[in-house]
Amino acid sequence: DARVTQTPRHKVTEMGQEVTMRCQPILGHNTVFWYRQTMMQGLELLAYFRNRAPLDDSGMPKDRFSAEMPDATLATLKIQPSEPRDSAVYFCASGDQSGTVSYEQYFGPGTRLTVT
Amino acid sequence: AQKVTQAQTEISVVEKEDVTLDCVYETRDTTYYLFWYKQPPSGELVFLIRRNSFDEQNEISGRYSWNFQKSTSSFNFTITASQVVDSAVYFCALSGGPGLYNQGGKLIFGQGTELSVKP
């Protein structure tokens, strides 16, 4: 049963520290998404990649967030420096967006980030 | 602009009752996709169903059924004979068409409906 994996599952850090979250998408999926969930904003897209190329990162605060996909089995989301308002659950999802069809996305368990 | 509205913030029912979760969407795309996801108390997001804009057939899967109506831009979800295990937050989501550069696929989520099923 293929699943998206995310590490760490929980992270507590102090303001100003660097945070790196990792995601392993389902093998064979060509699109990887990063979403953030907060009580106030709900679920919102931060960035996504297709065939490892970034397609849209307009949802990310550019000055402190960066997303990369160094290879097909790893996506990373980095926050530097972190701030208390970044506290949220960060989800990675992967899907197979073949041609012009949008298929379902499968979500990882999330990384719960707390910035104090 | 694309938007998904789930007007019901919280719903509480007693076990075995039927319950319908409403979802209304806005999009200018002619090709689009609609989804429902379940988020149980454990926090993960579980895919339930995907529909494309050209397929208005209703779908039934066990106790779950979905009613897609383009005329009212709605994609409602009904749970028949609800059970305590159905307690969760349910999200409706919209994905636009591929776009000029095949950049489609990102999900626009509604705010979610928290369903509580009491024994």
Side-chain angles (χ1 to χ4, degrees), chain A:
Chain A
D1 189 21
R3 296 188 177 209
V4 176
T5 58
Q6 289 186 248
T7 56
R9 293 292 308 276
H10 302 273
K11 178 73 176 179
V12 180
T13 191
E14 292 183 349
M15 183 174 64
Q17 296 299 305
E18 178 178 300
V19 176
T20 298
M21 290 169 269
R22 293 177 174 80
C23 166
Q24 182 172 9
I26 292 173
L27 191 64
H29 282 182
N30 64 356
T31 309
V32 176
F33 304 82
W34 284 105
Y35 293 90
R36 176 170 65 182
Q37 184 176 31
T38 61
M39 288 296 292
M40 293 299 295
Q41 300 298 325
L43 277 157
E44 52 182 354
L45 178 75
L46 296 176
Y48 71 114
F49 297 79
R50 180 154 301 140
N51 298 316
R52 295 178 54 202
L55 279 189
D56 185 350
D57 62 1
S58 58
M60 289 200 313
K62 299 287 193 308
D63 55 339
R64 300 183 300 107
F65 284 59
S66 62
E68 295 181 348
M69 206 163 168
D71 63 60
T73 64
L74 177 64
T76 62
L77 180 66
K78 189 174 296 186
I79 308 175
Q80 168 63 25
S82 56
E83 297 181 0
R85 59 179 166 153
D86 300 330
S87 297
V89 180
Y90 291 80
F91 287 103
C92 175
S94 73
D96 188 15
Q97 311 293 324
S98 300
T100 58
V101 178
S102 288
Y103 292 101
E104 55 270 23
Q105 300 174 23
Y106 293 92
F107 284 74
T111 294
R112 182 174 296 276
L113 174 66
T114 303
V115 184
T116 60

Side-chain angles (χ1 to χ4, degrees), chain B residues 13-17 19 63 79-84 86 117:
Chain B
V13 299
V14 177
E15 209 169 19
K16 297 184 184 176
E17 283 186 30
V19 57
R63 297 183 297 107
I79 302 175
T80 302
S82 60
Q83 299 176 1
V84 173
D86 296 326
V117 182

Side-chain angles (χ1 to χ4, degrees), chain B residues 49-113:
Chain B
I49 190 172
R50 162 184 161 269
R51 264 320 211 213
N52 72 53
S53 51
F54 298 109
D55 183 0
E56 285 194 74
Q57 277 191 332
N58 292 333
E59 180 152 342
I60 298 174
S61 176
R63 297 183 297 107
Y64 295 172
S65 61
W66 291 270
N67 184 330
F68 175 28
Q69 291 195 343
K70 286 180 75 170
S71 61
T72 55
S73 297
S74 65
F75 186 42
N76 297 337
F77 173 27
T78 297
I79 302 175
T80 302
S82 60
Q83 299 176 1
V84 173
V85 293
D86 296 326
S87 297
V89 180
Y90 290 86
F91 290 95
C92 181
L94 168 70
S95 173
L100 283 176
Y101 306 104
N102 195 23
Q103 75 271 34
K106 57 186 177 184
L107 293 175
I108 307 298
F109 284 91
Q111 287 299 307
T113 297

